Every structure is written in C-alpha cells, then in structure tokens.
Amino acid sequence: MAGDHYFSAQPSGELVARPLTVTLAGRELTLQTAGGVFSPGGLDVGTGVLLGHVPPPPPSGDLLDLGCGWGPIALTLALESPHATVWAVDINERARELTRRNAALLGLDNVRVAAPDEVPDDVRFMTIWSNPPIRIGKNELHGMLDAWLPRLREAADAWLVVARNLGSDSLQRWMDDRYRGELAVSRFATHKGFRVLRVRNRTGLTGPISTIQG
C-alpha cells in the first residue's frame, strides 16, 4: 500500500478486516478495522479528546461525522442520539465500508454512510463532529471546511479537534477571519496537546458563547 494515505479515495490492496475492541458511548464494543484508513489500530488520541469533551449531541435531526474513518465518531453519535440521522462522510471508500459494517454490527439503522458528494445539498446539520484530516494540506482543509461548516443550522455547533503542533491556533484564526459575522469560533477545551474548537452558526444567537479552557 505504498503511497496510500488515509485520505486516499481508493486505498490499494484488498480490504482485510480484523477485530477491534473499543469503548464508545460508555460501552465496550467489538468492531472491524483494516489498513488504509485513519488510525486502524484503535481510537486515536485526538478523537478520544473530542469525544471526552463535547457536550451530548442533539437528540434528533441530521448530525455529521466529517471524516468518519472506521466510524468511532459516527457510532458514538448514533448510540447517544438514536432518533437522529447520523451522516458518516469520508472520501475514503474503505473507511465508508468499515463504518457501514460497524453500524450493522451494532444494529444502528440511523447511520447513513456517504461520500461527500452523496449528501443532498439541502441537508442542514444540528451538529458537526470532526477530527479533520490536517495532513491533506492547508488549501484542501480550508476547502473542506468551506463546504461543510456553512451547512450548520441556526445556533448549531461544529466541534473540531486539532493538535496544537499541527496548527490548531492558526486554523482557529483562519476560521475566525474567514467566517466573521457568520460563524463564531472559540477554543472550548485543551487536553493532551489537542484543542477542541467550537464553531457556532451565529444566526439566532442572542447572547455570548461560553468557553472552557483546560
């Protein structure tokens, strides 16, 4: 699989699934993972920080896991909000297949796995959770955020986890400048070298946005 990255659309080689035991939404689960996706060996630190610091997701509506990998964020959203529709989006077809399999293993029929261009244009999200692929490059990352963050519903939040040494603070500044007047960007938490950034749709806001820094 030389030359492949977790953000490759079509990883080379056969999908060889192997079991993975992980705790999500307070439950120990046995799922499937494979090479050619992000963090195939288990829950990565950044995603763990995100899941450990965000408030509970909305109980209903459309929720988005942007860059789903083998599915830890999407599965958590689906377990915690069984009446919501969870969109698990990834450019990597192997990641989508693994998320689809893992949702089926858990009997989660509220997970919709999709390539980015398969999500209907009129879908707006009650929340977005993401450990974005920083290593795809600044231009590609900014383009991805431009495509999805404006699709937040009124007063809805996106939660992004980014390592400090990979540019979390510069990304926060870019978003603050890019979406000024439209989206409010704040640092919600800091843990294990990661920032959890909160991005809120300003539409419908009547008061200040609180932050927690640790």
Side-chain angles (χ1 to χ4, degrees):
M1 297 180 63
D4 278 344
H5 302 278
Y6 63 85
F7 44 83
S8 298
Q10 297 178 313
S12 60
E14 183 182 357
L15 191 164
V16 180
R18 58 181 184 271
L20 171 67
T21 300
V22 64
T23 299
L24 300 175
R27 311 180 195 187
E28 186 174 283
L29 308 170
T30 299
L31 305 173
Q32 291 187 5
T33 186
V37 300
F38 177 63
S39 191
L43 188 68
D44 69 288
V45 176
T47 298
V49 169
L50 179 73
L51 296 178
H53 286 81
V54 294
S60 61
D62 291 290
L63 318 181
L64 173 63
D65 170 11
L66 182 56
C68 63
W70 51 263
I73 293 176
L75 299 174
T76 298
L77 288 168
L79 288 167
E80 294 189 350
S81 298
H83 300 295
T85 297
V86 178
W87 293 88
V89 172
D90 205 300
I91 192 173
N92 185 320
E93 66 176 10
R94 183 168 299 175
R96 298 196 302 271
E97 174 60 22
L98 288 169
T99 298
R100 192 176 292 112
R101 292 186 185 189
N102 287 331
L105 284 171
L106 300 180
L108 296 172
D109 59 6
N110 61 330
V111 177
R112 296 188 181 182
V113 182
D117 60 358
E118 293 174 337
V119 181
D121 292 339
D122 61 349
V123 174
R124 295 295 180 266
F125 301 103
M126 296 295 295
T127 194
I128 298 171
W129 290 11
S130 182
N131 183 349
I134 300 297
R135 298 184 187 277
I136 62 175
K138 186 177 294 186
N139 291 337
E140 290 80 4
L141 175 65
H142 291 175
M144 183 184 76
L145 297 177
D146 275 343
W148 296 99
L149 292 181
R151 297 178 68 169
L152 285 168
R153 287 193 172 274
E154 291 186 2
D157 294 308
W159 303 94
L160 312 178
V161 64
V162 183
R164 283 183 293 180
N165 67 350
L166 292 180
S168 61
D169 295 346
S170 62
L171 179 63
Q172 181 180 349
R173 290 191 295 270
W174 177 84
M175 290 191 294
D176 190 56
D177 181 66
R178 176 72 168 176
Y179 307 119
R180 190 176 302 277
E182 301 174 17
L183 305 174
V185 184
S186 60
R187 184 185 305 160
F188 188 77
T190 300
H191 190 61
K192 294 184 177 179
F194 287 85
R195 307 283 203 205
V196 177
L197 304 179
R198 181 183 191 178
V199 184
R200 171 167 279 198
N201 184 345
R202 288 183 179 274
T203 307
L205 288 179
T206 59
I209 295 177
S210 62
T211 62
I212 298 173
Q213 296 191 37

